[in-house]
Amino acid sequence: MPAILAAVGSIARELELPSLLERAVTATGELLGARRARLELAEGGVAEYGRGRPGDGAVELPVRAGTRTFGTLVVEPGDGGEFNRREREVLSALTAATGMAVEKALLVDQMRRRERWLEASYDVTEALLGAQDLRATLRLIAERARVVAGGTAGAIARPTGPAELVFDVVEPPGEDADRLIGLTVPAEGTATGVAFTTRRPVVVRDYGERVQEQQRDRAGPMPAMIKDLDSAISVPLLVGEDTLGVLVVAKFRDKSPFTDSDVQLAETFAGHAALAVEFSRAQEARQRLAVFEDRDRIARDLHDLVIQRLFATGLGLEGVSRLIADPAVAARVAGFAQDLDGTIREIRNSIFSLQAPAQAQGSLRAELLRVALDARDTLGFEPRVGFDGPLDAAVPDAVRTDLTASLREALTNVARHAGATTCSVEVTVDPLGRRLNLVVRDDGAGPPPGPGRVSGLANLAARAARWSGNCGLVAAEGGGSRLEWTAELPAHAGEQGSGR
């Protein structure tokens, strides 16, 4: 009896669940002289005594506390026979003590988890008070969620259009994160997409197999690491009626599932995180508004003073060139006039860049400038953007979605692979509104040698093919890379893609 009381007391005092399971199954096996014993909880957690699983002669008892069943204890007698009445009484006492101890340990574990999630929320709030930018805030949210939930990776996916999301942030940094950043997933048929559209958490087991099956018909191979994804939680980031994105916590090569408690706590944290994201966005908006007035003044000065003077100088040079008798000198002066025309176009692009943030959301030029501005943090610099032709009039909404997604993916590839210090973007439409061209140049390492695949290039090519266009990446003159993406524009702005 003293040995039994000591075992029960030892089990009751243990608050760490793994240690509790080991102590309970060991005490059971030793006190009963069992050949084998196995204690398994429904929510995860297993401990074994002896070798192998209990055989057919085993006794199976539920591990309970009150009306709640936590798991099962299976014990096989040491002599291969049956337990006597006293041994069964000891087994019942140990099982009851284990059930109560498990209930207490789970409550303690849940309290500790709540504390960790609360600390994570405080960390995000503290970062905001420290005036961290939006991307740094997103990284902090993904990383803290990953650590607290016991996941291998944390990520945030944000919408790029009505039917697609892109993984903007993946933590922790490394090769796996590099392969996943910029990955696009459809809003329909994926756990991330379902969480975004239904505004409810989604928990998935064998996540990698599901993703590979769902993405089988999409252009371009999925990263090989996807197959190692096991359990995952996808939680929407909600602020009022808006869904800002989806927080994803996943486990790689780890079969232990996320519990219902994990999901509830992650959902609460996501609510705090969404407010943090919205606050950070509002902070950035206020900072931008603070400079709009100066930008507008500078743009007016450039237009009213600089361009007008350059235009007048260009007209003067053209007039002078017609008065010069020497054809070579006349041609040279005319060339200077053409150079001034090019300079005027560049300044007009700069003027539009200054004024675009204050323009209506419907402007394609403003939307492309926002994509370039969003890429500034990942690139380490702001790309130069230029336009030419009737973009807003000629490019229909369906093509616009593919164009902005392609620019975002192209800039992501530059940030991930090029090691560039400068990057330029040129978006043009021919005067007849028939052909759209996107050219992204960088001064980085250049395209990879040989037939190696550049991440995201297959997706870019697929988007171009929808509009009978092409996509190619080549070495640029003077070093770096030059990516050109083209699309044939429909005859009517309302037409949809040909699907070719």
Side-chain angles (χ1 to χ4, degrees), residues 206-266:
D206 300 321
Y207 193 38
E209 295 178 8
R210 293 172 183 264
V211 171
Q212 288 182 318
E213 179 66 27
Q214 291 161 347
Q215 304 280 46
R216 181 169 295 169
D217 297 331
R218 286 173 60 80
M222 297 293 293
M225 58 170 303
I226 291 292
K227 69 180 186 336
D228 294 327
L229 273 168
D230 291 318
S231 181
I233 309 174
S234 297
V235 187
L237 299 170
L238 306 177
V239 176
E241 298 299 318
D242 295 333
T243 306
L244 307 181
V246 178
L247 170 64
V248 180
V249 181
K251 293 183 178 181
F252 287 83
R253 299 170 288 276
D254 183 351
K255 295 296 184 182
S256 57
F258 288 111
T259 65
D260 291 341
S261 177
D262 289 327
V263 177
Q264 293 172 1
L265 294 171

Side-chain angles (χ1 to χ4, degrees), residues 123-124 127 132 135-145 269:
D123 289 343
V124 173
Q132 266 196 65
R135 182 159 295 274
T137 302
L138 293 176
R139 286 175 180 158
L140 178 63
I141 290 169
E143 176 61 13
R144 297 299 289 131
F269 173 75

Side-chain angles (χ1 to χ4, degrees), residues 63 67 79 113 126 147 176 191 222 237 309 338 342 357 363 426:
V63 177
T67 59
D79 57 5
R113 290 190 184 197
E126 185 178 4
V147 172
D176 288 349
M222 297 293 293
L237 299 170
R309 290 179 181 179
Q338 291 175 358
S363 168
E426 296 176 14

Side-chain angles (χ1 to χ4, degrees), residues 279-339:
F279 181 83
S280 188
R281 288 171 58 185
Q283 215 171 24
E284 287 192 351
R286 284 195 296 271
Q287 291 170 354
R288 291 179 185 178
L289 285 172
V291 300
F292 281 169
E293 186 173 328
D294 280 344
R295 281 184 161 197
D296 193 49
R297 177 184 56 77
I298 294 169
R300 285 197 307 269
D301 289 346
L302 285 172
H303 182 271
D304 295 341
L305 301 176
V306 179
I307 284 186
Q308 297 300 329
R309 290 179 181 179
L310 288 174
F311 186 70
T313 303
L315 288 177
L317 286 174
E318 287 182 356
V320 169
S321 67
R322 288 193 287 269
L323 300 176
I324 298 174
D326 188 332
V329 176
R332 190 172 181 184
V333 173
F336 291 149
Q338 291 175 358
D339 289 343

Side-chain angles (χ1 to χ4, degrees), residues 98-117:
T98 300
M100 290 186 288
V102 167
E103 182 182 41
K104 182 171 66 174
L106 287 174
L107 287 173
V108 171
D109 181 66
Q110 188 173 19
M111 289 175 59
R112 289 173 176 170
R113 290 190 184 197
R114 288 184 184 278
E115 288 176 358
R116 290 195 295 268
W117 282 109

